[in-house]
């Protein structure tokens, strides 16, 4: 079903899954506010599509949730879908934690979705909207990944919020759904400091265990985001 006349907010929309989701929603007729830290990448996402509006903001900063929600309401008059997608990963192990990096990961990957969703609550109630939390297959089942403990802990927390918020917000008519992609070609591993050789080795190791035998593309995840946000998925809530 078309996304026409709906308003969508997507964080971390300058690259990867967020960029693909923004274009997918706009392609179905939705108005989309894309949020990220870098103006240039947001402009690349928006291109010349008048339905996509960039907003440069650090979602972990004080006042950012209020700014994002106010901007969306000023531009569109409503919020139907909130996609908590923004995240970053820093390699870490317990014996050499960097406190600032640890706190920054938790602030962006876990606390920022909490505060942004809280701030958007009244707007989402008015539209009986949908929250989609982008997690990771890294934390499904009983998996563990070296060098990613803080990132994984934050994403596991986000999964728990998805289930709990679905119960809490269902009485408002708000659905909350999680999506946990596997290995997707977003460039994230280069951004966290992998060399080209390390990235190739990591990818080859994972692909050998993926039934599809390949890395996923952001557009494939974007289609699921759009579908889960739509009325055809109206009975889906509280699951990842």
């Amino acid at each position: 079903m078309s996304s026409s006349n709906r308003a969508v907010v997507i964080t971390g929309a300058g690259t990867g899954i967020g960029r693909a989701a923004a274009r997918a929603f706009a392609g179905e007729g939705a108005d989309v506010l894309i949020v990220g830290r870098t103006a240039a990448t947001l402009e690349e996402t928006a291109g010349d599509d008048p339905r996509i509006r960039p907003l440069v903001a650090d979602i972990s900063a004080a006042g950012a949730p209020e700014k994002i929600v106010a901007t969306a309401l000023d531009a569109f008059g409503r919020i139907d879908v909130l996609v908590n997608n923004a995240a970053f990963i820093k390699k870490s192990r317990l014996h050499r934690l960097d406190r600032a990096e640890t706190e920054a990961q938790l602030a962006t990957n876990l606390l920022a979705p909490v505060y942004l969703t809280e701030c958007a609550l009244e707007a989402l109630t008015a539209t009986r909207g949908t929250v989609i939390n982008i997690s990771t297959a890294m934390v499904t089942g009983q998996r563990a990944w070296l060098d990613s403990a803080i990132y994984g802990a934050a994403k596991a927390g986000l999964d728990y919020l998805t289930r709990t918020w679905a119960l809490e917000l269902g009485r408002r008519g708000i659905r909350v759904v999680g999506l946990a992609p596997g290995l997707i070609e977003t460039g994230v591993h280069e951004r966290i400091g992998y060399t080209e050789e390390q990235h190739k080795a990591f990818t080859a190791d994972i692909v050998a265990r993926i039934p599809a035998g390949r890395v996923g593309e952001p557009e494939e995840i974007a289609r699921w985001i759009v579908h889960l946000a739509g009325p055809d998925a109206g009975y889906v809530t509280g699951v990842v």
Side-chain angles (χ1 to χ4, degrees), residues 137-158:
M138 178 187 295
V139 300
T140 59
Q142 296 185 8
R143 296 173 180 169
W145 297 90
L146 288 174
D147 299 324
S148 303
I150 303 303
Y151 175 81
K155 289 298 190 179
L158 193 60

Side-chain angles (χ1 to χ4, degrees), residues 11-13 15 37 59 84-90 104-105 108-110 113 134-135 151 154-155 158 188 191:
T11 64
T15 59
R37 297 181 181 183
I59 63 168
N84 288 312
N85 170 70
F88 78 97
I89 181 172
K90 286 285 187 179
Q105 281 194 83
T108 297
N109 302 353
L110 182 60
I134 306 302
S135 180
Y151 175 81
K155 289 298 190 179
L158 193 60
V188 65
R191 291 195 294 274

Side-chain angles (χ1 to χ4, degrees), residues 6 25 80-81 83 130 132 175 224-231 233:
R6 292 197 297 163
F25 274 113
D80 296 90
V81 182
V83 182
T130 304
I132 299 183
R175 292 189 302 115
W224 279 103
I225 294 172
V226 172
H227 174 67
L228 289 170

